[in-house]
Amino acid sequence: MECLSLNQLATVYIKGLFDRDQAIVLLARARTVAEQNGDQRGLAETELNFSRAAAFGGDPNGGIRHGAQALTIARELGHLQLLARCLSTLAMINVQMRRWDMVEMNATEARQLYAAAGNRVLAADSERLISASQMFSGQPWESLDTLQET
């Protein structure tokens, strides 16, 4: 419970108050709590939030590193919603890095997971990322086809 609360508070500092430094302090505490309690789900959430904090703070490489750690844990847990969120986050960070092949790969898997869960809004959001990656990698017709699926 403490790990979850620390993660939620860190998210407020990242997205609402734009205080990345305070978010990092909270996430470090959340990581410690998760590790001490063997809370793999909490650790994955914490790594995902570290990823977002890094990306929002202008450190996309750190965002990829933490996002990959969160993704690994989510896969091990078989937690599909968390897995989809990790993939979406990695896709967005890869947009910042203009790594279109990775955007398409992450967003495609996220779209499949969101669609399987019946989340049409986030599936459509993933399709837009796929379309953008196709457009920026020189595949305008594929991009148009992807958008028409939405």
Side-chain angles (χ1 to χ4, degrees):
M1 186 66 145
E2 183 181 358
C3 181
L4 175 64
S5 298
L6 288 165
N7 269 287
Q8 289 177 339
L9 188 55
T11 301
V12 170
Y13 276 96
I14 293 168
K15 294 181 178 179
L17 301 174
F18 307 105
D19 187 345
R20 182 178 175 269
D21 293 336
Q22 184 60 37
I24 297 298
V25 170
L26 293 165
L27 291 171
R29 175 71 182 132
R31 178 190 288 152
T32 299
V33 169
E35 290 172 345
Q36 288 174 345
N37 293 307
D39 179 4
Q40 288 299 102
R41 166 87 190 271
L43 185 57
E45 292 284 353
T46 303
E47 288 299 328
L48 184 57
N49 285 323
F50 265 124
S51 176
R52 292 172 177 156
F56 289 151
D59 178 16
N61 289 317
I64 293 291
R65 187 179 70 252
H66 288 289
Q69 290 171 343
L71 181 64
T72 298
I73 297 168
R75 283 195 197 283
E76 290 170 359
L77 292 173
H79 194 289
L80 300 182
Q81 180 189 26
L82 179 59
L83 181 58
R85 289 178 29 236
C86 291
L87 289 162
S88 292
T89 299
L90 285 167
M92 292 299 296
I93 296 169
N94 278 304
V95 167
Q96 287 180 310
M97 300 175 79
R98 294 177 173 35
R99 293 172 52 188
W100 305 116
D101 58 331
M102 296 303 295
V103 173
E104 186 168 359
M105 183 182 77
N106 293 143
T108 298
E109 188 177 353
R111 176 185 61 180
Q112 292 167 346
L113 292 168
Y114 286 133
N119 190 332
R120 293 174 36 196
V121 171
L122 291 179
D125 187 53
S126 296
E127 284 181 352
R128 284 193 295 279
L129 284 172
I130 295 165
S131 176
S133 70
Q134 292 167 332
M135 178 63 76
F136 285 111
S137 61
Q139 303 171 43
W141 297 113
E142 290 85 350
S143 175
L144 182 60
D145 289 342
T146 298
L147 283 175
Q148 290 174 341
E149 292 173 15
T150 304

